[in-house]
Amino acid sequence: MSDELRLRAATVTDAASLALEHEPVPRDQVVAGTPATGHAVLDESDGGTVGVWEMTPGAMRDTEADEVFVVLFGAATVEFEHPIADPVILAPGSVMRLEAGMRTLWTVRQTLRKVYVAP
């Protein structure tokens, strides 16, 4: 992890404007469009991982890890293929918890960026 991204006590990282390198979503996960994702790990410790993740417009399937996240910007809908649950609409300020193994379908209408905390 680069030192400039590491969270340090009494400092601020601007997660909303952090430059992220994007990679295309693997073809077997793409449902629609040509989505790409990017991420940066800001801190890792015994308490878990803190990072920033972003997805460009399109739709993709994913299998989730345990995490809690806050949406910084963008618009998306998350549908749950397993376990079955009502779709969730994400917008700036949305806070959500995902559990390991959930199978989801992310449909991003405007590039979505989130800050996540994972054990």
Side-chain angles (χ1 to χ4, degrees):
M1 169 182 0
S2 69
D3 242 9
E4 64 270 7
L5 291 182
R6 185 163 175 77
L7 290 175
R8 296 185 201 138
T11 63
V12 173
T13 297
D14 185 353
S17 65
L18 186 64
L20 300 177
E21 265 188 57
H22 287 88
E23 295 183 5
V25 169
R27 287 182 171 245
D28 63 334
Q29 289 180 261
V30 174
V31 174
T34 54
T37 60
H39 79 279
V41 173
L42 300 178
D43 195 42
E44 290 181 305
S45 68
D46 291 340
T49 302
V50 177
V52 177
W53 180 87
E54 181 173 278
M55 181 177 160
T56 62
M60 68 174 269
R61 285 192 163 79
D62 200 13
T63 300
E64 303 300 335
D66 282 325
E67 73 175 69
V68 173
F69 67 83
V70 178
V71 174
L72 299 176
F73 59 75
T77 301
V78 179
E79 297 174 70
F80 299 90
E81 296 179 334
H82 179 78
I84 302 295
D86 291 335
V88 174
I89 296 173
L90 299 174
S94 296
V95 178
M96 185 171 186
R97 182 174 188 281
L98 296 170
E99 294 180 342
M102 289 179 138
R103 291 194 312 267
T104 55
L105 171 60
W106 290 72
T107 303
V108 173
R109 294 177 298 285
Q110 297 173 344
T111 296
L112 184 89
R113 182 173 287 202
K114 66 181 182 176
V115 172
Y116 66 88
V117 178

